[in-house]
C-alpha cells in the first residue's frame, strides 16, 4: 500500500493540477511564494476568505525540486516509523495537519516517542491552514524546530532526536470572521475578539517567519477577464527557482544548504552587501526596531531575490533589501 494511503497528508492529491497560472492576480503573493520556495523561507499568507491563500499554497509541490536518491531513502526511513508497509517516498512531503491535531501529533512524542508532522515534513513543506486556530502551546513548540531544524523528544529516561527540516507555509484570516480590513464585507468582530485572535501568534514565533504577505480580494470583473489557462507563469517560476537553487548549491558546495538555513556567522562568511544595501538595511532596522534575528533573515531573503535571476557572486544591493523589507511586516 503506498505511503500516502497509510499516512495522512504526506502528499497533496493530484497536486500537479495546481499552477500559478490558475490564480488570478495576487502578483505580490506569487512573488513571495517563488522567493520562499527558492530559498526555503517560511511564509505567512493572510487575507479574507476567497483570496486564494490555500490554492496558492497548493502550487508549492509542483514548484519544488525532485528528491535525490539519498533524500528518498532518508525520508522513507523516517516515514516507516509511523507507517506499515511503507513504500519508497518519491515526492517531497506536503503535510497539512488540521488545527484540531494534538501537540504530540504535530511535534512528536507519545509513549513510543514517534516523529510528528514537523519531522514527517522534513525535506518538504509543513502547511498550517488558519494558523491562529492551532493551540497556542503547539505553535510555541515550533519555535525551536524552526530555528534548529531538528526536535529532541524526551520521556522519562528516553530521548530521541528527529529532523525537522521543513519549510513552514501558513495562512490566516485577519480576524475571527475573516473580513477585517475587507473592501467587500464589514467585519463583525469586537475589538476584544480581534485582539485575542492576533495575540495567538507571539512575537518570537512571528519573528521566525521570514515573509508575510497580506492578500486582497480580486474583483469579479478581473476574474472574468482571465478565462484562458496557460502554464507560462508557472514554467517561468520553475525556471527562476531552479536557477536560484543551482546558485546556492555552487555557493555553499552542497545540495542540502539553502539561504534560509544560514547561521549568522555564515551570512557574514558567504553573503556580501553593497554599501547602499547596508545603509538601507541599517536605516530600516533603526526605524522599525528590528531584532537581530529579523535583521539577518532580511539579508537571507534578499540573497534569494538576487539568486533568482543573477549570476553567482552578485552582491546584495539596496533594491534587493527594499524588496525583502516589503515582505517583512511588523505586527
Amino acid at each position: 500500500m503506498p505511503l500516502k494511503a497509510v499516512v495522512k497528508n504526506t502528499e497533496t492529491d493530484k497536486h500537479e493540477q495546481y499552477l500559478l497560472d490558475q490564480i488570478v492576480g495576487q502578483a505580490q503573493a506569487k512573488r513571495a511564494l517563488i522567493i520562499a520556495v527558492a530559498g526555503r523561507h517560511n511564509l505567512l499568507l493572510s487575507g479574507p476568505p476567497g483570496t486564494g491563500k490555500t490554492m496558492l499554497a497548493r502550487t508549492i509541490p509542483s514548484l519544488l525540486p525532485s528528491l535525490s536518491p539519498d533524500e528518498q531513502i532518508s525520508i522513507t526511513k523516517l516515514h516507516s516509523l509511523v507507517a506499515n508497509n511503507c513504500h519508497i517516498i518519491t515526492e517531497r512531503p506536503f503535510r497539512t495537519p488540521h488545527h484540531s491535531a494534538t501537540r504530540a501529533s504535530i511535534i512528536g512524542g507519545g509513549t513510543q516517542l514517534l516523529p510528528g508532522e514537523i519531522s514527517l515534513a522534513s525535506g518538504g513543506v509543513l502547511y498550517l491552514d488558519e494558523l491562529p486556530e492551532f493551540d497556542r502551546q503547539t505553535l510555541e513548540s515550533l519555535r525551536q524546530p524552526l530555528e534548529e531544524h531538528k526536535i529532541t523528544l524526551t520521556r522519562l529516561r528516553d530521548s530521541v532526536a528527529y529532523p525537522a527540516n521543513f519549510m513552514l507555509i501558513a495562512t490566516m484570516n485577519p480576524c475571527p470572521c475573516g473580513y477585517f480590513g475587507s473592501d467587500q464585507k464589514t467585519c463583525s468582530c469586537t475589538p476584544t475578539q480581534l485582539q485575542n485572535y492576533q495575540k495567538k501568534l507571539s512575537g518570537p514565533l512571528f519573528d521566525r517567519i521570514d515573509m508575510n504577505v497580506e492578500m486582497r480580494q480580486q474583483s469579479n470583473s478581473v476574474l472574468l477577464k482571465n478565462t484562458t489557462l496557460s502554464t507560462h507563469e508557472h514554467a517561468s517560476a520553475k525556471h527562476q527557482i531552479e536557477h536560484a537553487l543551482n546558485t546556492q548549491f555552487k555557493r555553499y558546495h552542497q545540495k542540502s544548504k539553502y539561504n534560509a538555513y544560514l547561521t549568522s556567522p555564515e551570512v557574514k562568511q558567504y553573503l556580501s552587501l553593497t554599501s547602499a544595501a547596508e545603509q538601507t538595511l541599517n536605516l530600516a532596522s533603526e526605524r522599525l526596531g528590528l531584532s537581530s534575528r529579523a535583521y539577518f533573515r532580511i539579508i537571507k531573503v534578499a540573497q534569494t531575490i538576487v539568486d533568482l535571476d543573477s549570476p553567482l557572486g552578485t552582491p546584495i544591493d539596496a533594491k534587493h533589501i527594499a524588496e525583502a523589507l516589503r515582505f517583512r511586516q511588523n505586527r
Side-chain angles (χ1 to χ4, degrees):
M1 183 181 294
L3 182 64
K4 65 180 180 181
V6 178
V7 183
K8 286 177 135 183
N9 301 325
T10 298
E11 301 166 351
T12 54
D13 295 330
K14 300 179 180 179
H15 58 248
E16 66 275 3
Q17 294 182 2
Y18 295 94
L19 304 174
L20 290 176
D21 306 78
Q22 295 172 301
I23 302 170
V24 177
Q26 305 296 2
Q28 185 184 36
K30 290 178 181 179
R31 172 69 171 173
L33 190 75
I34 293 169
I35 296 169
V37 173
R40 294 299 190 273
H41 302 288
N42 302 319
L43 172 65
L44 173 62
L45 302 171
S46 60
T51 52
K53 303 187 297 294
T54 299
M55 189 171 183
L56 189 62
R58 292 284 182 175
T59 66
I60 293 177
S62 59
L63 292 172
L64 291 169
S66 301
L67 287 172
S68 68
D70 288 342
E71 287 177 316
Q72 290 183 27
I73 293 173
S74 62
I75 291 174
T76 300
K77 285 182 178 179
L78 187 61
H79 282 245
S80 68
L81 297 176
V82 296
N84 296 321
N85 302 320
C86 179
H87 288 190
I88 294 293
I89 305 296
T90 59
E91 298 183 358
R92 293 190 179 275
F94 187 87
R95 307 295 295 192
T96 60
H98 190 261
H99 59 75
S100 62
T102 64
R103 179 177 178 274
S105 68
I106 293 180
I107 304 301
T111 56
Q112 299 180 13
L113 291 181
L114 295 175
E117 293 291 335
I118 64 171
S119 296
L120 298 176
S122 285
V125 175
L126 178 68
Y127 173 49
L128 300 183
D129 192 20
E130 297 303 329
L131 189 63
E133 299 298 331
F134 284 81
D135 176 69
R136 183 182 174 110
Q137 185 180 7
T138 300
L139 292 179
E140 290 303 302
S141 299
L142 294 175
R143 287 163 52 180
Q144 181 183 2
L146 284 171
E147 199 74 23
E148 300 179 1
H149 308 297
K150 63 180 181 179
I151 182 72
T152 300
L153 304 174
T154 304
R155 181 179 177 86
L156 297 178
R157 296 182 181 179
D158 294 329
S159 180
V160 61
Y162 291 118
N165 192 11
F166 60 90
M167 177 172 63
L168 175 65
I169 302 295
T171 61
M172 63 177 287
N173 291 331
C175 66
C177 81
Y179 294 102
F180 179 75
S182 173
D183 299 328
Q184 301 182 7
K185 276 192 177 183
T186 302
C187 175
S188 61
C189 301
T190 66
T192 301
Q193 287 176 320
L194 180 61
Q195 186 178 32
N196 291 338
Y197 184 79
Q198 294 179 343
K199 277 185 176 179
K200 289 186 177 182
L201 299 185
S202 69
L205 176 61
F206 195 84
D207 212 28
R208 287 166 169 78
I209 298 176
D210 304 280
M211 307 170 71
N212 178 17
V213 179
E214 292 186 4
M215 298 176 64
R216 298 286 182 178
Q217 288 179 316
Q218 303 293 304
S219 65
N220 291 338
S221 60
V222 174
L223 297 176
L224 291 173
K225 289 179 181 178
N226 292 267
T227 56
T228 302
L229 177 65
S230 71
T231 57
H232 172 74
E233 189 175 15
H234 197 85
S236 177
K238 285 181 67 69
H239 177 75
Q240 283 187 298
I241 291 169
E242 182 179 3
H243 182 276
L245 292 175
N246 288 334
T247 301
Q248 290 169 79
F249 298 157
K250 291 176 183 177
R251 180 187 300 118
Y252 309 128
H253 305 290
Q254 54 179 304
K255 290 195 173 184
S256 59
K257 194 81 166 181
Y258 303 93
N259 291 332
Y261 297 170
L262 296 180
T263 63
S264 298
E266 287 174 330
V267 169
K268 299 174 184 178
Q269 176 184 353
Y270 289 108
L271 310 187
S272 61
L273 286 75
T274 65
S275 58
E278 287 189 28
Q279 184 178 4
T280 299
L281 180 57
N282 291 334
L283 182 61
S285 180
E286 293 177 4
R287 289 182 176 179
L288 301 176
L290 298 175
S291 67
S292 58
R293 179 181 289 109
Y295 185 90
F296 281 104
R297 284 180 182 268
I298 288 169
I299 295 176
K300 290 184 278 189
V301 170
Q303 183 62 65
T304 301
I305 294 171
V306 175
D307 292 341
L308 285 171
D309 54 19
S310 301
L312 181 66
T314 303
I316 300 170
D317 206 352
K319 63 180 181 180
H320 306 121
I321 293 293
E323 183 175 4
L325 283 167
R326 285 198 293 272
F327 294 119
R328 186 81 195 186
Q329 300 177 25
N330 285 343
R331 302 171 73 225

